[in-house]
Amino acid sequence: MLAVFFLHFRPPPRPFMSQALNIHTAPLGVVNAALTVFYVAEGAQPSGYGQTLWSATGLDWSQSIAASGFTGKQGQTMDVLLPGGKRQLILGSGSSSANTSLTSWTDRGGSLMAKLAATRATDIAVVVDEPSATPAALAELAAGLRLRRYKFDKYKTARADDAVGSITVTLLVTDPEAVDRAIAGRAATVEGTLLARDLINEPANALGTLEFVERTRELEKLGVSVEVLEQDELEKLGMGAMLCVAKGSARPPRLVIMQWHGGRDGDQPLAFVGKGVVFDTGGISIKPAGNMEDMKGDMGGAAAVTGLIHTLASRKAPVNAIGVIGLVENMPSATAVRPGDIVKAMSGTTIEVINTDAEGRLVLADALWYTQDRFKPRFMINLATLTGAIIVALGHEHAGLFSNNDELAIQLLNAGLNANEKLWRMPLSPAYDKLIESKFADIRNSVGRPAGSITAAQFLQRFVNEIPWAHLDIAGTAFGASNRETNTSWAPGFGVALLDRLVRDYYEG
């Protein structure tokens, strides 16, 4: 008699040496894979091609689920061992309304990968033929598989028994050609997100300002024009705000300009600006030692911008886009900027440095001004792990959105929902703007705890003029966030899918 087991899932084993994942599609038909997977809805019996597979086992469905406790609830599994070393894994898909949104299919792909990894199988066929499994839904399922498969384990010394090798997943679907097209259309966003994860996860000793520059130059293979401004050029431009942050570090500052020309000549570009503090000690206003290692991720905004430009170029997006990232390291030393120092930004605005740990806005002040002054973009969006205050306000589920333009803000909110990278709009007003005024300079870079994320945004707004602009404070979502179905890594790569969705939905065509 065939044995039926209901497996209570334990955490996946230690990271595999190889993260290779091959995803194919095939029509419903003969299955030769060592492991076959199909879904059953809550309270239901196998249907579609899953019913054919189950019937071939010769087992009684009612007896099997009674023995295993399987009811089809989301997350449940029933593992069936077959003669010849073959195996069936039946997964609960929950209620019929459980997979109504595309983002739920992304999560479903992540959950599926977790279960596949636990089986340690390498040749897998997955039947997905339910009515809601549209090509777009299956592209999200494939995206979830790839995103969940990601591990940042390059610095681990793996044991020999961890070496499972590459995994091949064949999706058995009703229209393989349509699904292949949809998966290919989604793949560029996944790769951009994984690039952002890689950059954020790298330790600061391996990814300084110059190493980050080299990573951006790799985008030239995709047709991206990469321009790098070195310290002497930044000094000539008068970028005193950005330069003062770098004064305490042996690593030189760099401003990187990435240009993708996919639109028509003369079309206004879409501009994206990222904070790239490769490590942030706080400078003279030094941070507490606890969890300071997380500050290797203070370049999460720059990572997202780099991942986005990679995405747009990879899929040949029909737009002109600019990615500008300010790369510095904030360190305490005899040459570091001091609290009370006054610096002049590229715009001519003088800034009193109250707190050297409010450094990201100083970097962005010059990067934003340079971008709007040189490129005259259609809009300008900056991303930055800017304030701890936004985590107090929103936790790790939403990034803060600040904008001077209602239309752009609404577009971003919608894109965030569609990409499952959610935003929450926060206020800007003249009342908050008064708080950043300084006794000794035009403005000051810190006003203390009250409305900390809002006053930081008011500071940035001084450097955008009248261009439609949005500031995304991603301090709570760029790294260290709670693990989702599609991410077990420290950094989720937040922002790439969101901004790619914005461009696709509102600025192409």
Side-chain angles (χ1 to χ4, degrees):
M1 179 181 290
L2 297 177
V4 179
F5 301 91
F6 179 66
L7 301 184
H8 296 280
F9 260 84
R10 58 187 182 277
R14 292 180 64 230
F16 302 138
M17 289 180 66
S18 172
Q19 296 176 24
L21 171 64
N22 304 303
I23 299 177
H24 305 288
T25 62
L28 299 168
V30 177
V31 178
N32 294 317
L35 173 65
T36 305
V37 181
F38 63 89
Y39 289 89
V40 174
E42 186 172 358
Q45 294 187 2
S47 61
Y49 195 64
Q51 182 180 20
T52 302
L53 292 171
W54 180 259
S55 297
T57 68
L59 293 170
D60 182 273
W61 176 256
S62 298
Q63 290 181 357
S64 298
I65 62 174
S68 66
F70 181 86
T71 64
K73 287 184 178 180
Q74 222 166 13
Q76 282 190 329
T77 64
M78 185 166 64
D79 201 349
V80 182
L81 306 181
L82 303 171
K86 296 294 181 73
R87 186 173 174 185
Q88 281 187 11
L89 189 66
I90 298 92
L91 304 181
S93 60
S95 65
S96 58
S97 61
N99 296 303
T100 56
S101 68
L102 289 180
T103 56
S104 71
W105 279 90
T106 323
D107 287 344
R108 183 168 167 178
S111 176
L112 174 60
M113 177 49 67
K115 292 172 171 58
L116 298 182
T119 69
R120 300 181 75 81
T122 59
D123 181 21
I124 304 150
V126 181
V127 177
V128 201
D129 62 347
E130 58 211 72
S132 58
T134 63
L138 290 167
E140 291 302 322
L141 180 78
L145 285 166
R146 290 196 180 279
L147 291 168
R148 180 62 180 252
R149 178 68 170 156
Y150 173 87
K151 307 284 184 184
F152 189 80
D153 57 1
K154 63 187 287 187
Y155 296 105
K156 285 183 174 288
T157 304
R159 296 193 299 265
D161 60 359
D162 289 327
V164 171
S166 64
I167 294 177
T168 297
V169 177
T170 302
L171 301 178
L172 303 181
V173 299
T174 55
D175 189 349
E177 290 186 5
V179 174
D180 283 342
R181 289 193 297 271
I183 289 175
R186 181 70 167 84
T189 315
V190 173
E191 294 306 314
T193 299
L194 298 185
L195 171 58
R197 288 184 182 181
D198 276 345
L199 291 168
I200 298 169
N201 282 324
E202 280 285 0
N205 62 320
L207 188 77
T209 55
L210 300 182
E211 292 83 1
F212 203 130
V213 166
E214 292 309 307
R215 296 296 294 271
T216 65
R217 290 196 185 280
E218 294 175 12
L219 273 61
E220 292 176 333
K221 301 173 186 175
L222 300 173
V224 175
S225 170
V226 179
E227 179 184 357
V228 181
L229 302 186
E230 300 189 1
Q231 182 158 345
D232 58 344
E233 295 168 286
L234 302 177
E235 290 171 353
K236 289 177 183 177
L237 288 168
M239 291 193 177
M242 177 177 168
L243 287 168
C244 83
V245 179
K247 285 177 62 177
S249 174
R251 286 171 159 164
R254 293 290 186 266
L255 190 78
V256 181
I257 303 101
M258 298 166 281
Q259 300 187 55
W260 166 247
H261 296 288
R264 295 170 298 185
D265 290 342
D267 282 355
Q268 280 183 289
L270 315 178
F272 305 92
V273 181
K275 170 189 171 183
V277 180
V278 295
F279 195 81
D280 180 23
T281 65
I284 297 298
S285 307
I286 197 164
K287 295 177 179 291
N291 299 319
M292 194 193 286
E293 67 275 10
D294 287 354
M295 289 299 98
K296 71 176 186 176
D298 208 22
M299 31 59 71
V305 169
T306 305
L308 173 67
I309 299 299
H310 183 284
T311 295
L312 298 178
S314 293
R315 65 178 185 82
K316 307 299 181 187
V319 296
N320 296 331
I322 308 293
V324 177
I325 57 175
L327 301 175
V328 298
E329 184 176 50
N330 188 23
M331 299 288 283
S333 75
T335 58
V337 67
R338 296 164 290 258
D341 285 359
I342 294 176
V343 299
K344 182 182 286 188
M346 182 183 175
S347 67
T349 301
T350 57
I351 304 167
E352 182 183 9
V353 179
I354 301 298
N355 187 332
T356 65
D357 194 24
E359 85 300 331
R361 66 202 70 180
L362 297 171
V363 175
L364 288 172
D366 282 336
L368 286 167
W369 185 266
Y370 175 85
T371 302
Q372 62 85 32
D373 185 56
R374 175 179 172 183
F375 295 107
K376 309 296 189 295
R378 186 170 178 180
F379 67 65
M380 191 161 55
I381 298 172
N382 73 259
L383 300 91
T385 50
L386 206 65
T387 67
I390 204 67
I391 304 176
V392 175
L394 300 177
H396 299 286
E397 295 304 313
H398 291 74
L401 163 63
F402 303 81
S403 182
N404 63 1
N405 184 277
D406 290 341
E407 181 182 7
L408 179 59
I410 291 169
Q411 292 172 353
L412 279 164
L413 289 167
N414 289 336
L417 291 173
N418 291 332
N420 201 24
E421 293 187 343
K422 298 185 290 294
L423 305 173
W424 192 268
R425 193 171 184 184
M426 303 288 284
L428 291 170
S429 78
Y432 292 111
D433 198 51
K434 290 179 181 178
L435 296 176
I436 65 172
E437 294 177 357
S438 165
K439 290 181 181 179
F440 305 107
D442 296 328
I443 53 176
R444 51 182 175 162
N445 79 325
S446 178
V447 301
R449 292 175 63 85
S453 59
I454 300 172
T455 54
Q458 295 285 171
F459 181 97
L460 296 179
Q461 191 176 21
R462 295 286 187 107
F463 301 92
V464 302
N465 281 328
E466 301 303 317
I467 288 176
W469 159 78
H471 157 53
L472 307 183
D473 193 335
I474 60 173
T477 55
F479 57 82
S482 56
N483 287 343
R484 302 177 186 276
E485 290 288 1
T486 55
N487 178 49
T488 58
S489 130
W490 181 69
F494 183 96
V496 177
L498 160 71
L499 295 178
D500 184 55
R501 188 79 265 164
L502 173 78
V503 174
R504 286 178 190 257
D505 289 351
Y506 296 102
Y507 294 95
E508 295 184 7

